[in-house]
Amino acid sequence: MGEAAEISPREAEVLELVGDHLSNAEIGARLYISVRTVETHVSSLLRKLDVPDRRALARCATRRTRPDQQRPAPALPMRLTSFIGRQSERAALATMLKEHRQVTAVGPGGVGKTRLALAVAADAADEFADGVWFVDLVPVTDPGMIATAVAEALGLGEQLGHDMAGSVATALADRHALLVLDNCEQVVDGAALFLERLLAACPQVRVLVTSRSRLMVPFERVYPVPSLSLSLSLSPSSADYGEGGDDGDDSRDRHDSKGTVAGGSDAVALFIDRATSVGRPLDPAQYEQVAEICARLDGMALAIELAAARYATLGLDGITAALAHPLRMLTGGSRAQDRHRSVRAALDWSHNLLEPADRALLRRVSVFVTPFTAQAAAEVTRLDAATVVDGLARLAEQSLLAVTFAPDGTRYRALETLRQYGADRLTEAGELHDTQARHLHWCLARSAELVEPRADWRARFDRAADELRAALAWAESRTEQRVDAYRLARAMAELAFTRHLIAESQQRYEQAAALATNPADAAAMFRHAAAVAACRLHGDDMHRLNLAAADVARGAGYTVAAARDLAAAASNAYRFSSKFVTPLRPEEADALIAEARELAGTDPSARAAVALAEAGRTLTHAIGTTHTHSTGASTGTGTGTTDASDGATHTAGSSSGSPGSPGSPAVQEAIASAERAVELAHLEKDPLAESAALDTLAGALSWAGDAFAAAATARRRVELLVTVPDGSDAPYSPYGPAGTHELIEALGEATEAALGVGDLPGARQWARRLAEHPQLAEVGHRATGWLLVADTLAGDAEQALTAGLRFRDAWQRAGSPARAVLGPPAAAMATIHGLRDDQEARRDWSALLAQVDPSPWNTHGYGAVFDALLMLHQGRPEAALERTAPEPGQIRQWTTWIWLHWYVALRAEASVLAGAPDAAARLARARTAVAGNPVASALVERASALLDADTERLIATASAFDAAGCRYQSARTLTLAGGDHAARGARALTDLGLAPMTTP
């Protein structure tokens, strides 16, 4: 099927870029389309090409676009110069890498660790089905950011419910890949912890590390990288100049033709190659002198390259004289410094040959940890622009800076050894603090520019992020920089949230809170951090941070703010209890509310917050559980249910009106309490507080059995949040992380409520808004779950299958979590495949469903609804009747909020088609129970028409289904009518991508 599948031109473009191992964000930027559109194309391609995941899709892309290339091209930096020699080292390191899962190439700065590791990785590329990936850790100064650097190199985002290290491990769990982690020395401890976790979770991943010191972990195998060989032989047959390719072949032709290059001396070969490349060839008679220079430099690759770069202007004699100067050599010092003597000597020598202005420029640009532009250098160094441009060019010519060319301009970067050398020189010159301070101000300006939305925003942030992190790491421990450090931490928190790095966002908000000099600012940062924790589904963190905000506010005498924070801690514990690992105890919540009420006094906003917490407590006590009801996409399960037996209100096992029943005074009190909270929040013109109160009200109404009022309340909530204060039609909340969290929850709740009352167009509208929310870009299973449920109930197989592919891929990348919220989407996909008569796919999804949710929600609730739908399609009404045998009142907590009307209506239809003796009585009860629900009412009316053999009434229900947006049931109606209608129904089912229906 795959190769014959019809692929659109746009899909072909996306497929080719998937084959190039670009992330969805990179593909979107390349093709000028949204990430969501890319995901849709990828999902469609997975289905059309009949492949299970993105890895297989990349292989398919390779076969279609590059038939001769079966494995991913290694994601390694491009070499601009040839790799010289080191054949024995390459072989030894390659062998070690085959035998051990984590190898560290250890050696001093400048010895050539990175180049050797890259050569070995390139040689091994064909052995790793999922590619070879290079991660530059030079810009990483925080050990906790190693996982983020790896994720960025792999094009990954953070998965909800996982930290970044967990997200990377999940993404690579079944991958056969090689990671090259370069320059680990400044984050050795963090690297050790990250690799221990990664290798334990990813059995087919191997890691090659370069570092100045070993990681000191049991699973590590160390390869000491030696200096380049110094022995000199004039045997041309032993010459070796790299690993092939254009650069290597050119070197071989250039030197082998003379028959004089010493293959036994890699150091000499490197010097000759680099010196010749500047346009001044060496005479073979000079090779002995070259060997002496290389020996003076101890065979250090970086020192040799720097010396060779000066050959065109100094000649061998000048180089020899410079090395003879005693100040060019480092003397004394610790053992660690002693290892770097020869490199330091070369750097000192090269540095002292510079003009004073170039020396100042070199040391001042050492504060940049990522490639920088000439304009950035001018701002930070405080040198005039012309001097900077000329100076950077000279430094690049002398191999002191590397140059990269990109569409947005030329950038420069100092190698790490040179950057550290420059920092030492800054200290010696007494300029370190001032230069770092200017760099910090420059980073603050860049963070301000990133607030402006642009099509290339993500790429701009990724380029700047490590620079901002480095500046923040320097500033946070300096008292005199505390104000600017706070500003940068806050900016990083906001930018990281927009970039969907939500774990880092929470970390930066907490960092900003610690740096704030104003208690009001500190409390605000804790509140933002709490909201981000909520977005991450980390309820315990959310609670801790709400209390931290209250402590700061209370300590500063801001009693009203403290009251709001304490009330928020309590109300959030009620609203989002499923996000807590350790639920809040009732007495703790009572204490929080009591203190909040005391501190609130007569302040209206604080009273509104307390009222919300009290409403949550009242509802919780009314229904006898710590959960209120389903709160959107984050939970998907709850207890906002109705006691009903085919709609007849009563409480199983208790008298009507008892505590916990829908008609009890406690539930009515909960409704009144929630309405009061809504009113107070509305008067304060606080949309987030009003949204929270509406959420609690919807739960109370749902529990009371008023599904339509609950749905209306859910719609009111989401409409409140998607309208910004200026009246524009911006689709997402302008209120930061708290607004984002509220909106995501509200969209999920509105979708569920609409499904519960048969509003399929509304459910699909809200579900689509949820799926398109940018904060869910990296968590497709959470984003698409309710959309594919709505598409399945509507009978739109094409859309459901597309969403299902994204759902499953994201679920697997998230570590295949077992959570009840994922049950309905899995059940929907199993049903769609059953309706398509794809039994293998149905069994596969059914197994997934059993894995994610073995709870009664599946057994008695949505699971029964989806199973009954399929059984009726297959002409098995007796099985459907048995599947829905329990009276709704017996399983009320599993069927209501979303599933009650569907359960009741399908149960009534199964009764009729199975010829149950009480079918007429069930129909009568069902008609009352589902009144107002267009889909469920049409189901009941159709069953009644079948019972009465009234074909005209039966056909009329087809129009009712069409009007309700339920094309599948319309087609099913025509099939059930028989005759010519059945043929039309069969065609309609085919158009929907479904198999023919079996009539009982």
Side-chain angles (χ1 to χ4, degrees), residues 815-831:
S816 304
R819 293 180 58 237
V821 67
L822 305 177
M829 288 307 301
T831 299

Side-chain angles (χ1 to χ4, degrees), residues 506-683:
Q506 180 183 329
Q507 173 195 347
R508 300 302 179 193
Y509 274 124
E510 293 192 54
Q511 187 178 22
L515 290 167
T517 57
N518 183 327
D521 290 335
M525 293 303 98
F526 279 129
R527 291 181 199 112
H528 287 313
V532 177
C535 291
R536 299 179 65 205
L537 311 183
H538 288 196
D540 298 82
D541 266 7
M542 173 180 60
H543 187 69
R544 170 180 62 82
L545 293 163
N546 278 329
L547 294 182
D551 286 342
V552 171
R554 184 171 40 206
Y558 304 146
T559 56
V560 170
R564 289 197 298 263
D565 291 327
L566 293 170
S571 61
N572 287 341
Y574 292 126
R575 293 178 64 209
F576 308 122
S577 58
S578 63
K579 297 180 181 181
F580 282 69
V581 175
T582 306
L584 193 65
R585 292 177 300 169
E587 58 270 23
E588 292 179 283
D590 289 344
L592 289 174
I593 294 173
E595 185 177 1
R597 187 188 305 110
E598 180 181 351
L599 293 174
T602 59
D603 181 82
S605 64
R607 289 176 59 216
V610 173
L612 174 60
E614 291 175 334
R617 178 173 59 185
T618 303
L619 179 57
T620 299
H621 290 170
I623 62 180
T625 175
T626 57
H627 296 260
T628 53
H629 71 99
S630 171
T631 50
S634 68
T635 60
T637 61
T639 56
T641 57
T642 300
D643 277 317
S645 176
D646 287 341
T649 301
H650 74 276
T651 303
S654 65
S655 62
S656 179
S658 64
S661 68
S664 71
V667 172
Q668 297 306 312
E669 181 184 353
I671 293 174
S673 180
E675 288 176 338
R676 176 60 177 162
V678 171
E679 179 184 358
L680 289 173
H682 183 73
L683 290 173

Side-chain angles (χ1 to χ4, degrees), residues 404-485:
T404 59
F405 302 97
D408 61 343
T410 303
R411 292 178 179 271
Y412 301 86
R413 181 177 182 179
L415 299 177
E416 176 62 9
T417 302
L418 284 161
R419 197 179 71 80
Q420 294 183 3
Y421 176 84
D424 291 343
R425 286 293 187 175
L426 269 179
T427 301
E428 293 168 6
E431 298 176 351
L432 180 61
H433 183 277
D434 289 346
T435 306
Q436 290 279 26
R438 290 195 298 272
H439 178 255
L440 173 62
H441 294 153
W442 181 84
C443 287
L444 281 168
R446 300 293 78 74
S447 68
E449 291 174 359
L450 284 169
V451 173
E452 176 189 356
R454 280 172 34 183
D456 62 343
W457 184 90
R458 183 166 178 159
R460 290 168 57 225
F461 172 83
D462 289 347
R463 275 199 305 270
D466 283 326
E467 207 70 63
L468 304 184
R469 290 165 183 148
L472 182 56
W474 172 80
E476 69 172 335
S477 61
R478 287 163 174 79
T479 303
E480 74 279 6
Q481 299 294 340
R482 184 167 180 173
V483 172
D484 285 338

Side-chain angles (χ1 to χ4, degrees), residues 184-374:
C184 282
E185 53 268 5
Q186 77 279 13
V187 286
V188 166
D189 292 340
L193 292 173
F194 169 77
L195 290 179
E196 183 172 11
R197 183 173 177 183
L198 178 75
L199 294 174
C202 308
Q204 298 187 84
V205 169
R206 292 181 183 253
V207 181
L208 177 57
V209 171
T210 73
S211 178
R212 297 184 187 183
S213 59
R214 60 177 299 179
L215 304 184
M216 300 295 290
V217 290
F219 52 84
E220 178 188 39
R221 293 298 179 269
V222 176
Y223 178 77
V225 178
S227 299
L228 293 170
S229 62
L230 294 168
S231 60
L232 184 61
S233 166
L234 297 180
S235 169
S237 62
S238 63
D240 178 43
Y241 300 101
E243 62 278 15
D246 293 341
D247 288 338
D249 290 343
D250 288 347
S251 300
R252 185 178 297 109
D253 293 342
R254 182 166 60 245
H255 301 301
D256 283 6
S257 62
K258 297 181 179 179
T260 56
V261 174
S265 174
D266 290 339
V268 172
L270 175 63
F271 188 103
I272 293 172
D273 182 87
R274 301 301 190 252
T276 304
S277 68
V278 300
R280 184 176 172 182
L282 283 87
D283 188 274
Q286 297 176 297
Y287 288 178
E288 290 288 353
Q289 191 175 2
V290 170
E292 293 176 5
I293 292 173
C294 292
R296 296 279 295 276
L297 297 173
D298 288 343
M300 299 297 289
L302 175 59
I304 291 169
E305 294 215 23
L306 290 170
R310 302 296 297 181
Y311 170 69
T313 56
L314 293 179
L316 295 182
D317 291 340
I319 293 173
T320 301
L323 289 174
H325 196 288
L327 294 180
R328 305 298 189 262
M329 299 300 295
L330 178 66
T331 58
S334 67
R335 180 179 179 182
Q337 292 170 325
D338 190 56
R339 290 189 314 153
H340 296 79
R341 287 174 61 100
S342 56
V343 174
R344 178 65 190 236
L347 292 174
D348 279 343
W349 153 73
S350 185
H351 175 267
N352 286 312
L353 292 176
L354 296 174
E355 295 296 328
D358 288 350
R359 294 181 195 175
L361 179 61
L362 179 63
R363 65 177 179 262
R364 292 175 188 174
V365 298
S366 69
V367 296
F368 289 102
V369 299
T370 60
F372 56 89
T373 63

